[in-house]
Amino acid sequence: MTANRLASEPSAWPPMREELRGLQPYGAPQLDVAVQLNVNENPYGPSHAVVADVATAVAEATGSLNRYPDREFVELREALAAYLGHGLVSAQVWAANGSNEVMLQILQAFGGPGRVALSFAPTYSMYPEYARDTNTEWVVGHRESDFSLDLDAARDLVLDRKPSVVLLPSPNNPTGTALPPEAVTMLCEAAASYQPGGLVVVDEAYGEFRRSGTPSALELLPRHRNLVVTRTMSKAFALAGARVGYLAAAPEICDAIRVVRLPYHLSAVTQAVALAALRHAPELLGQVDVLRAERDKTVGWLREQALLVADSDANFALFGTFEDRHAVWQGLLDRGVLIREVGPDGWLRVSIGTAEEMAAFKQALMQVMEEGKSDE
Ligand SMILES: *Cc1c(COP(=O)(O)O)cnc(C)c1O
């Protein structure tokens, strides 16, 4: 029987790309746990007023779902440009289904065979996957022990490898480290100094959570035509379920991405939801200050427990180090608290939730560490 013959050759079926065979899809476990602090979501759901407005907008869009949506999503680009400020106009804005899709499109348009994408580890684990999926060579430099960048070494690596795309999350995931503007400027200049030059993508997925005094790379856009700043509605904006991410860059860069995007990639429903949500931006972003304060308290508390904690400008904290981090992660899960096993060996990452969720996390962690001591 055909099925049996295929079963006896598991590696040959399905006939996948050689380099993808046996790989697991990316993603944190989606478990039904009381306290979910593992994927950096905003713990505060939308208010009744926001729900009602989004529902009305979706109902209106539903009336014409027999038609394809506006392929250029002009109204949404205008609304995003107005939201970002900094004098940006719609031709400088692009959006897709999450900033993950935005970054994949950047690599589809600017990466590819014979080209290099570069970042500095530890960093976001999706970047090497965009590179792999677009046949772009992946080059990774390293961060210092405090997870900052050695600027001279970073520039030398860029000049040496001449990447087409440099991916720089700021604040970085999973460490929470923000980049100083000098770093962005230096790397933009380095990436503009060879032919045909490279893009510097500053991934500001957590930009809204920066501590005061840390500027956004949006301010540098007028100075560097090869700078791209990506943002998302998934984190501070409390809209992870809607899948909306976007970028600000030179109009030529947006036009280049239009060549590779799928037709009508942003559904009419997605556009309607995003537009309605943007009308409520102040309210949706209203808990950001609460989360920043909770973040600073959490970092302080973890340090009081004699743990190492990376300075964080994001809505999470990376802490450690544990001899057996998996045991700590499992101990927390056994107590109904789900965090993330990610980053360098020995470290764990906790997203910032509500005050009640953080209290549950602290209590569970104290118990797990107590137990660890008595096991010794
Ligand atoms: C969460 C996150 C994103 C945003 O992903 P979406 O696809 O917009 O939900 C982008 N970059 C980093 C580093 C992230 O952690």
Side-chain angles (χ1 to χ4, degrees), residues 39-40 97-101 103 124 127 130 169 171-173 203 205-206 231-235 240 243-245 316 349:
V39 288
N40 301 339
N97 297 284
S99 51
N100 271 283
E101 188 178 57
M103 278 179 275
Y124 191 36
Y127 295 154
Y130 314 139
N172 182 44
N173 180 7
D203 177 355
Y206 303 97
R231 290 277 183 103
T232 181
M233 294 181 92
S234 298
K235 309 284 163 59
R243 309 303 302 126
V244 183
F316 55 81
R349 192 193 71 192

Side-chain angles (χ1 to χ4, degrees), residues 14-47:
M16 242 178 149
R17 278 166 56 185
E18 206 71 62
E19 66 277 24
L20 299 183
R21 285 210 191 135
L23 295 184
Q24 292 301 311
Y26 170 85
Q30 290 192 304
L31 304 175
D32 190 13
V33 170
V35 180
Q36 304 196 359
L37 302 172
N38 66 330
V39 288
N40 301 339
E41 293 155 333
N42 193 316
Y44 298 100
S47 69

Side-chain angles (χ1 to χ4, degrees), residues 16 25 44 65 84 90-91 122 126 153 172 178 184 193 207-209 242 252 270 276 293 305 313 324 338 374:
M16 242 178 149
Y44 298 100
L65 280 184
L84 284 177
S90 60
M126 279 307 296
N172 182 44
V184 178
S193 70
E208 294 90 343
F209 295 108
E252 294 85 349
T270 302
Q305 312 313 306
D313 277 279
D324 183 354
L338 178 60
S374 53

Side-chain angles (χ1 to χ4, degrees), residues 104-125:
L104 177 64
Q105 290 173 334
I106 291 172
L107 282 194
Q108 286 175 323
F110 293 93
R115 291 183 162 221
V116 165
L118 183 150
S119 190
F120 300 88
T123 193
Y124 191 36
S125 28

Side-chain angles (χ1 to χ4, degrees), residues 272-297:
V273 170
L275 278 165
L278 281 165
R279 289 196 288 274
H280 294 276
E283 188 193 325
L284 285 166
L285 291 165
Q287 304 300 326
V288 165
D289 286 343
V290 172
L291 290 167
R292 290 161 83 219
E294 195 64 48
R295 181 239 357 249
D296 293 339
K297 266 170 52 189

